[in-house]
Amino acid sequence: MEDKIKKVSIIISKGGLEGVYPGLIMANGARMEGIEVNLFFTFFGMDAIIKKRMGRIKVATVGNPGMHMPSLVGILPGMSAMATSMMKKTMEKLDIPPVPEYIEMIADAGGTLYACKATVDMFKLKKEDFCPQVNSIINVGRFYEISAGGHIIFT
Amino acid sequence: MPLKTYGNTTVDVDAEGYLTDFSQWTRTVAEAIAAEEGFAALGPAHWKVIEFMQKEYKENGQVPSIRRLNKSGVASTKELYELFPGGPAKKAARIAGLKKPEGCV
């Protein structure tokens, strides 16, 4: 039998609901299997841990081929809000929590959350801008140290 | 279908050791499965989770998710991971004599 996966470090680099959710689902799912989890938020993926933004993440209706919607329709006012609300309703039915609750759930489950130093500097953010579940702001080197001995998943 | 004997009770299980017939479940079987999963003993907090899961399963045919358990007030997410280390939903479901949870959350 193959060795079981014991540890994963997941990078969430993309914004929007469709960018953030896959990493969150994989992180929570890993904890449910007893796998040690580190989550590293970088670039626009960081919206998921910024207090002011985490509850307002929308799904992209423009430039998102997965929406099966012509971009001309996607630019209409309210289109992204409507798609987001529909997606949120479906997810609630499937018992998938909204982003802030998901972050809390993963942290309570023992996952450790980190923010990327380069992005923090670029967007001029401070530790106080992040939700309390964020353990610390770390650089790439530290991320690799923390990830040692496990698998790295980039989303 | 594999059989498994716990003490003097024989139960039907699937390939991963989950009971396939809940009517065969007893508290003694639960304690034996727990011991197999590495639990020293099941305390009142464990039983509260197990009984709630069984009640939910009886009512709507689904093994409740961690989120559902958390929201129901039976045990918080943190408590669930402390009570059932290494996979609360899976382990609690197996001890409770229920099938393996199917959801991703």
Side-chain angles (χ1 to χ4, degrees), chain B residues 12-28:
Chain B
D12 294 292
V13 295
D14 67 11
E16 293 176 290
Y18 290 79
L19 261 65
T20 53
D21 179 0
F22 180 69
S23 69
Q24 296 171 334
W25 183 90
T26 63
R27 285 176 75 103
T28 317

Side-chain angles (χ1 to χ4, degrees), chain A residues 12-100:
Chain A
I12 298 186
S13 71
K14 294 184 183 71
L17 281 182
E18 75 279 24
V20 158
Y21 265 106
L24 296 182
I25 292 175
M26 295 204 62
N28 184 61
R31 285 304 303 136
M32 285 174 68
E33 294 297 318
I35 299 167
E36 183 187 337
V37 171
N38 296 309
L39 260 175
F40 186 67
F41 295 87
T42 183
F43 273 80
F44 298 116
M46 209 171 248
D47 279 356
I49 49 169
I50 295 176
K51 268 188 279 188
K52 276 191 205 155
R53 302 233 172 106
M54 59 197 300
R56 300 178 192 175
I57 300 174
K58 292 192 169 58
V59 57
T61 48
V62 175
N64 182 355
M67 284 300 289
H68 309 291
M69 179 191 281
S71 281
L72 267 175
V73 177
I75 63 165
L76 294 175
M79 202 49 87
S80 176
M82 194 186 79
T84 304
S85 127
M86 279 167 64
M87 193 163 157
K88 281 188 173 168
K89 269 181 208 148
T90 311
M91 287 194 299
E92 186 58 49
K93 267 188 216 147
L94 294 172
D95 212 17
I96 300 175
V99 172

Side-chain angles (χ1 to χ4, degrees), chain A residues 4 25 28-29 31-34 91-92 94-98 101-102 105 108-109, chain B residues 64-68 70-71 77-78 81 86-90 100-101 103-105:
Chain A
K4 275 185 145 188
I25 292 175
N28 184 61
R31 285 304 303 136
M32 285 174 68
E33 294 297 318
M91 287 194 299
E92 186 58 49
L94 294 172
D95 212 17
I96 300 175
E101 188 192 329
Y102 222 170
M105 195 168 149
D108 284 351
Chain B
S65 63
I66 290 179
R67 185 182 187 215
R68 172 86 187 105
N70 180 35
K71 288 204 162 171
T77 305
K78 267 187 196 166
Y81 277 88
K90 266 169 49 174
K100 189 177 178 179
C104 278
V105 180

